[in-house]
């Protein structure tokens, strides 16, 4: 006995990964439906060794379906998630729409799986922002040992976080640098992304931070502990897939770097690659397609009493989005929607 599962936004990068990961992890599916916009109706997408034809989201009846993994923008989610939820289908939403709603659990299963139990208020569970997800996986086991006071994080985010158009822009702009007459002007981003970095993701806020930075602050507080102070600088870099983060942590109590490394080695969802030698660390091209949140460069920050630095890398389409959503579905099934 399994579940009747819907993937909404099945033709996008994240939607396709959701289908891939549901199949890879052999999620107990009795029936699966791939939904897309009317113009993408009939598009074929893979689900393991099966091929699904996308159905029109606008015409779809969610009645009798157990879970819907949403991978569409906030505007469309605002229209369709309530319809699905009202029909009794639990929505696991990857957009930012419901993340900050006190009646909607915001869940990273390695960190706060038990929060899934709160889904009943709106029949909706929110997936965090990709840059938040990998960071809280790294922070939680350390916070449990030495209580985190403050986090300073700089991110190096790949263009796949902006979607397919951005991937094409990086590819074409990079080629254009080498081929006279084929220069490609910025369109997805305000400035050139090829051979460049852009310290601006999402919109600017009143205080000069960006909404991407605000998300990391607010979501970390909701998922782990509202007392943790977070300051973030989010940067777009010319990488196709894989977000990297330089994380500086101040604890209430001293935490030795070797003990921190041992804790992280044992923590769920984490792989530690940390040797003080050439190549003894993870880089984004090596994380693509993996489930793991990788940690490297673990070392004391001797400029403060209880400081630690680390380097964190993960596939932003997987742990940052699709994998986390599927893991939420697994927890929801095991804790709340037991079958047969
Ligand atoms: C980005 N975190 O990387 C945002 C949304 N995926 O663009």
């Amino acid at each position: 006995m399994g579940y009747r599962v819907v993937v909404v936004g099945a033709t996008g990068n994240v939607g396709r990964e959701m289908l891939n990961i549901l199949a890879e992890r052999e999620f107990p599916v009795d029936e699966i439906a791939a939904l897309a916009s009317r113009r993408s109706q009939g598009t074929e997408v893979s689900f393991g060794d099966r091929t699904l034809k996308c159905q029109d989201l606008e015409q779809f009846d969610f009645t009798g379906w157990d879970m819907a993994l949403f991978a569409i923008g906030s505007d469309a989610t605002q229209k369709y998630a309530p319809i699905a939820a009202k029909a009794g289908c639990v929505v696991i939403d990857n957009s930012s729409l419901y993340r900050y709603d006190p009646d909607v659990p915001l869940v990273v299963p390695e960190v706060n799986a038990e929060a899934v139990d709160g889904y009943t208020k709106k029949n909706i569970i929110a997936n965090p922002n990709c840059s938040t997800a990998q960071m809280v996986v790294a922070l939680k086991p350390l916070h449990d040992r030495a209580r985190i006071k403050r986090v300073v994080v700089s991110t190096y985010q790949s263009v796949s976080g902006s979607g397919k158009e951005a991937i094409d822009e990086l590819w074409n702009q990079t080629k254009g640098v080498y081929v006279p007459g084929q220069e490609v002007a910025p369109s997805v981003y305000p400035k050139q992304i090829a051979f460049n970095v852009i310290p601006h993701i999402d919109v600017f806020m009143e205080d000069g931070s960006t909404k991407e930075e605000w998300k990391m602050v607010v979501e970390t507080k909701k998922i782990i502990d509202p007392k943790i102070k977070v300051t973030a600088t989010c940067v777009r870099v010319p990488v196709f897939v894989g977000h990297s983060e330089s994380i500086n942590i101040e604890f209430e109590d001293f935490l030795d770097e070797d003990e921190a490394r041992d804790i992280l080695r044992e923590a769920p969802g984490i792989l530690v690659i940390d040797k003080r030698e050439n190549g003894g660390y993870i880089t984004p091209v090596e994380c693509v397609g993996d489930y793991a949140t990788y940690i490297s460069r673990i070392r004391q920050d001797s400029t403060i009493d209880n400081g630690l630095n680390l380097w964190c890398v993960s596939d932003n389409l997987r742990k940052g989005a699709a994998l986390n959503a599927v893991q939420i579905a697994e927890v929801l099934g095991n804790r709340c929607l037991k079958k047969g």
Side-chain angles (χ1 to χ4, degrees):
M1 286 283 282
Y3 300 93
R4 300 184 75 225
V5 179
V6 187
V7 173
V8 181
T11 59
N13 288 338
V14 173
R16 289 176 188 275
E17 282 291 41
M18 284 174 171
L19 287 166
N20 292 337
I21 295 170
L22 283 167
E24 286 167 19
R25 294 170 73 92
E26 296 179 345
F27 187 84
V29 170
D30 272 358
E31 192 175 352
I32 190 154
L35 307 186
S37 63
R38 178 163 301 173
R39 70 173 183 278
S40 301
Q41 188 176 356
T43 301
E44 292 188 344
V45 290
S46 300
F47 174 61
D49 55 7
R50 290 170 53 188
T51 299
L52 307 176
K53 278 192 185 298
C54 287
Q55 302 176 52
D56 180 6
L57 169 57
E58 202 159 338
Q59 305 299 322
F60 191 76
D61 180 359
F62 287 91
T63 309
W65 292 84
D66 296 302
M67 307 174 187
L69 280 65
F70 270 59
I72 54 178
S74 293
D75 292 345
T77 300
Q78 188 151 39
K79 180 175 180 184
Y80 295 105
I83 293 171
K86 192 169 178 206
C89 178
V90 182
V91 172
I92 299 170
D93 175 31
N94 190 53
S95 83
S96 60
L97 186 65
Y98 292 103
R99 290 178 188 156
Y100 319 109
D101 182 331
D103 291 333
V104 173
L106 178 63
V107 180
V108 175
E110 295 90 337
V111 178
N112 65 334
E114 69 288 346
V116 164
D117 298 351
Y119 82 95
T120 52
K121 290 183 183 167
K122 291 197 170 178
N123 228 23
I124 297 174
I125 303 167
N127 220 27
N129 191 32
C130 41
S131 49
T132 305
Q134 66 187 74
M135 185 172 79
V136 296
V137 169
L139 294 181
K140 179 67 166 68
L142 300 176
H143 183 61
D144 289 346
R145 167 66 184 75
R147 311 301 299 163
I148 294 173
K149 281 173 69 176
R150 180 175 184 258
V151 173
V152 182
V153 55
S154 296
T155 72
Y156 309 80
Q157 297 179 225
S158 64
V159 297
S160 54
S162 307
K164 280 185 252 182
E165 203 184 341
I167 294 173
D168 293 343
E169 179 154 311
L170 173 57
W171 174 251
N172 294 321
Q173 226 173 60
T174 302
K175 284 192 297 182
V177 167
Y178 292 105
V179 181
Q182 289 196 22
E183 293 79 7
V184 172
S187 64
V188 173
Y189 301 116
K191 299 205 172 192
Q192 176 178 319
I193 185 61
F195 305 103
N196 203 14
V197 294
I198 302 173
H200 167 204
I201 298 178
D202 208 323
V203 297
F204 275 96
M205 314 281 282
E206 278 297 306
D207 66 0
S209 67
T210 63
K211 193 160 186 188
E212 185 80 356
E213 292 153 358
W214 176 85
K215 288 176 183 177
M216 293 190 80
V217 175
V218 175
E219 293 174 20
T220 300
K221 288 173 176 288
K222 182 170 179 179
I223 294 167
I224 301 182
D225 186 332
K227 292 193 291 298
I228 295 178
K229 295 178 183 173
V230 180
T231 185
T233 300
C234 295
V235 181
R236 189 72 67 191
V237 296
V239 168
F240 286 119
V241 178
H243 285 354
S244 304
E245 298 175 349
S246 171
I247 305 174
N248 174 270
I249 308 166
E250 180 179 8
F251 297 93
E252 296 286 358
D253 310 310
F254 180 74
L255 179 58
D256 173 78
E257 61 191 23
D258 294 329
E259 184 182 1
R261 191 174 296 107
D262 292 343
I263 290 168
L264 291 166
R265 280 205 173 102
E266 297 304 314
I270 290 177
L271 283 178
V272 173
I273 297 180
D274 191 25
K275 292 188 184 312
R276 296 175 176 178
E277 61 188 42
N278 291 348
Y281 41 80
I282 190 71
T283 63
V285 295
E286 299 163 280
C287 81
V288 178
D290 279 11
Y291 290 161
T293 294
Y294 287 93
I295 308 286
S296 300
R297 307 294 320 282
I298 303 162
R299 63 203 188 280
Q300 232 68 59
D301 169 9
S302 56
T303 65
I304 52 176
D305 291 342
N306 306 323
L308 196 74
N309 288 310
L310 50 89
W311 174 249
C312 175
V313 173
S314 197
D315 182 328
N316 55 292
L317 298 177
R318 294 200 147 209
K319 186 53 199 173
L323 170 63
N324 200 74
V326 172
Q327 287 173 305
I328 290 172
E330 290 168 347
V331 171
L332 178 68
N334 293 334
R335 290 180 68 99
C336 312
L337 304 183
K338 284 194 183 301
K339 280 279 186 180

